[in-house]
Amino acid sequence: MTDTPLAPAPIRAVKTPKVGIVSLGCPKALVDSERIITRLRAEGYQIAPDYAGADLVLVNTCGFLDSARDESLAAIGEAIEANGKVIVTGCLGAEPEVIQRAHPKVLAVTGPHQYEAVMDAVHTHLTPPHNPHLDLVPESGLRLTPRHYAYLKISEGCNNRCSFCIIPKLRGDLVSRPIHHVLAEAEKLVAAGVKELLVISQDTSAYGLDIRYKPETWRGAEYETRFLDLARGLGSLGVWTRMHYVYPYPHVDNIIPLMAEGLITPYLDIPFQHASAPVLKAMKRPGNQDKVLARIANWRRDVPDLAIRSTFIVGFPGETDEDFEILLDFIREAKIDRAGCFRYENVAHAESGKLENHVPAELKEERWHRFMEVQAEVSAARAAAQVGKTLDVIIDEADDQTPGGWIGRSKADAPEVDAVVYVASRNALKSGDIVSVRITGADDYDLYGDVA
Ligand code: SF4
């Protein structure tokens, strides 16, 4: 079950209906769960911390990889066994027959982002309280992340058609949120204590394309619904802002000056997936690696601290030894600082399953290990180069293993997926503090230092 940062429950004469939430999948699904609990609380429902205390359980599923589908189905089964009243939503909800076949006792199934349908299903199976205490809901909404960072979802869906991906089938084409709504949400989050915004979508650099970059007004100034104006607006809020899921389109160059000025965190999460032209073509991804390398070199010239995170797939159907070597060379040359690597897996209904020359499992495994070794070398070189510097570090939590120790992150690290900085401090710190840390040591990924 997911813990939620809720205010203490008010004393009530009547029993308040309680909903439990199990949130699976990626940060985008987490944001969906946050929206759902915000709506539930706005209507006066309480969020139960465990199955036993819940009158009904909502399972927000992921349907991307076969392993995620299995995990979702297992979570639904667990919730049915422990509680009995279960509503399913999220990506796997786009295939209700799969869920109902495995778990006929499920009360209702709704697809991704169907907030209204989820609320209708909850109302049907758990009568809403008569007297909702709207004032219990903080203006920034309710979140499942710690208080000091928040995911900011700017759009749903995707216009690309990568052959290994079924997200457009599950979530549809790109639908951008108007920029004044996104900026107003960010402003509320910052007012509520958020120190770090993580911008997410399926394709952040395509933001606004579907609504022709419609101009809107925020704080008396005009902003177009587009990536650059989003960065300008968020940059004016004075907190760390990380851009996730950015494609290396030429217009990404425009936000580099905002990073050089310190308005946007010098961090780009670009899911390259591969570097070899034939593989990228089979993946149906845009890509000209020469231009990408030249662009990255220019970015680093202007913003020397820039950290680049990416994800890659090894063992894609048809990937030859030569393709794989090209990928390794790219990691070294582009100095991809942080990388997630997946062994190719057939996703149900994805086009890539029908491609020829699937790579044997042992070879995929071998390539994965070689990839991780090369990436560790790149990461270790970056980490070693930080020793002796003083970096801003955002504190996430106390280090249970070390008295007086804290765990935080530099600007080069996003929460959950990247490295950490182990910080020694004579004074007590708290989550969300941003402190100057003198870096004294490093391993392949993590840094060690003292509060300066
Ligand atoms: S960009 Fe490609 S991988 Fe990402 S969501 Fe869109 S189709 Fe899927």
Side-chain angles (χ1 to χ4, degrees):
M1 299 289 289
T2 308
D3 287 339
T4 55
L6 300 181
I11 297 164
R12 301 203 180 169
V14 287
K15 185 175 177 286
T16 307
K18 293 193 182 74
V19 179
I21 292 249
V22 178
S23 188
L24 304 168
C26 63
K28 284 156 274 199
L30 184 72
V31 171
D32 287 346
S33 297
E34 290 174 345
R35 291 213 181 134
I36 293 167
I37 63 166
T38 299
R39 289 282 302 272
L40 288 168
R41 287 286 281 165
E43 293 192 8
Y45 289 95
Q46 284 209 9
I47 308 302
D50 51 36
Y51 291 126
D55 299 305
L56 178 152
V57 176
L58 260 175
V59 183
N60 189 6
T61 57
C62 176
F64 188 43
L65 295 173
D66 285 349
S67 46
R69 295 158 71 86
D70 292 346
E71 189 192 350
S72 294
L73 289 173
I76 296 167
E78 187 186 301
I80 289 176
E81 204 179 310
N83 182 279
K85 288 182 86 175
V86 174
I87 291 173
V88 178
T89 186
C91 284
L92 192 58
E95 296 175 72
E97 66 293 343
V98 172
I99 295 166
Q100 259 134 8
R101 205 179 317 124
H103 299 294
K105 287 193 187 148
V106 160
L107 298 175
V109 178
T110 68
H113 324 308
Q114 295 178 355
Y115 309 117
E116 296 307 321
V118 174
M119 293 309 295
D120 285 350
V122 173
H123 295 157
T124 305
H125 296 284
L126 187 62
T127 311
H130 290 302
N131 197 4
H133 290 234
L134 294 172
D135 55 334
L136 289 176
V137 181
E139 248 206 304
S140 58
L142 293 166
R143 291 182 287 113
L144 298 168
T145 46
R147 190 180 153 81
H148 61 285
Y149 65 81
Y151 294 100
L152 186 65
K153 194 176 195 179
I154 59 170
S155 60
E156 305 283 4
C158 182
N159 285 351
N160 300 316
R161 294 293 181 264
C162 303
S163 61
F164 55 84
C165 177
I166 52 164
I167 283 177
K169 282 191 189 127
L170 295 175
R171 303 197 161 207
D173 281 342
L174 177 73
V175 178
S176 300
R177 296 176 63 202
I179 192 158
H180 57 314
H181 292 178
V182 175
L183 292 175
E185 181 184 341
E187 205 176 357
K188 279 186 195 166
L189 289 166
V190 172
V194 164
K195 303 278 183 57
E196 180 178 7
L197 293 166
L198 302 123
V199 174
I200 56 166
S201 69
Q202 307 297 344
D203 180 359
T204 295
S205 32
Y207 178 56
L209 183 70
D210 55 310
I211 48 175
R212 299 184 184 194
Y213 310 113
K214 193 166 179 286
E216 303 286 358
T217 303
W218 177 66
R219 288 178 165 180
E222 187 177 289
Y223 288 80
E224 290 189 352
T225 302
R226 65 164 74 234
F227 183 47
L228 178 60
D229 282 19
L230 177 74
R232 278 201 306 120
L234 295 176
S236 71
L237 293 174
V239 295
W240 290 14
T241 299
R242 280 182 206 285
M243 295 295 185
H244 289 273
Y245 313 115
V246 175
Y247 265 58
Y249 297 133
H251 69 264
V252 173
D253 296 359
N254 299 334
I255 72 154
I256 299 299
L258 300 181
M259 291 184 179
E261 278 177 59
L263 297 174
I264 294 291
T265 305
Y267 178 99
L268 279 174
D269 174 3
I270 307 176
F272 288 110
Q273 309 299 6
H274 213 280
S276 163
V279 178
L280 287 168
K281 194 165 169 226
M283 288 178 165
K284 296 203 172 158
R285 310 260 309 169
N288 175 331
Q289 288 319 110
D290 291 341
K291 284 196 188 147
V292 167
L293 283 171
R295 188 165 288 134
I296 291 175
N298 290 340
W299 295 345
R300 292 203 193 275
R301 181 198 59 209
D302 296 342
V303 181
D305 295 342
L306 177 68
I308 299 180
R309 142 160 284 273
S310 189
T311 46
F312 295 89
I313 297 172
V314 293
F316 192 78
E319 182 191 63
T320 61
D321 287 345
E322 194 191 342
D323 293 322
F324 181 63
E325 293 303 327
I326 290 172
L327 172 58
L328 295 185
D329 286 347
F330 175 73
I331 307 286
R332 291 186 193 103
E333 223 176 306
K335 296 197 175 61
I336 301 299
D337 306 287
R338 318 276 181 235
C341 181
F342 300 92
R343 303 155 184 90
Y344 172 79
E345 203 181 296
N346 278 330
V347 171
H349 312 298
E351 226 181 278
S352 55
K354 296 187 209 119
L355 290 170
E356 290 179 353
N357 299 324
H358 279 249
V359 175
E362 321 77 73
L363 189 52
K364 270 190 229 172
E365 192 63 22
E366 188 192 312
R367 287 181 182 167
W368 183 84
H369 283 285
R370 283 194 59 210
F371 179 102
M372 295 310 285
E373 274 165 29
V374 171
Q375 210 285 315
E377 282 163 23
V378 173
S379 170
R382 181 188 175 103
Q386 307 307 309
V387 177
K389 289 187 185 173
T390 299
L391 303 179
D392 284 345
V393 170
I394 190 163
I395 299 297
D396 284 325
E397 58 187 346
D399 181 358
D400 293 343
Q401 310 297 318
T402 316
W406 297 83
I407 300 176
R409 288 172 292 109
S410 74
K411 288 183 177 165
D413 297 296
E416 311 289 340
V417 288
D418 291 332
V420 298
V421 185
Y422 292 95
V423 178
S425 170
R426 262 183 257 122
N427 301 320
L429 301 174
K430 59 183 187 315
S431 302
D433 282 349
I434 296 178
V435 288
S436 286
V437 174
R438 201 169 43 83
I439 303 300
T440 53
D443 58 29
D444 281 358
Y445 298 98
D446 300 326
L447 300 176
Y448 301 81
D450 309 312
V451 172

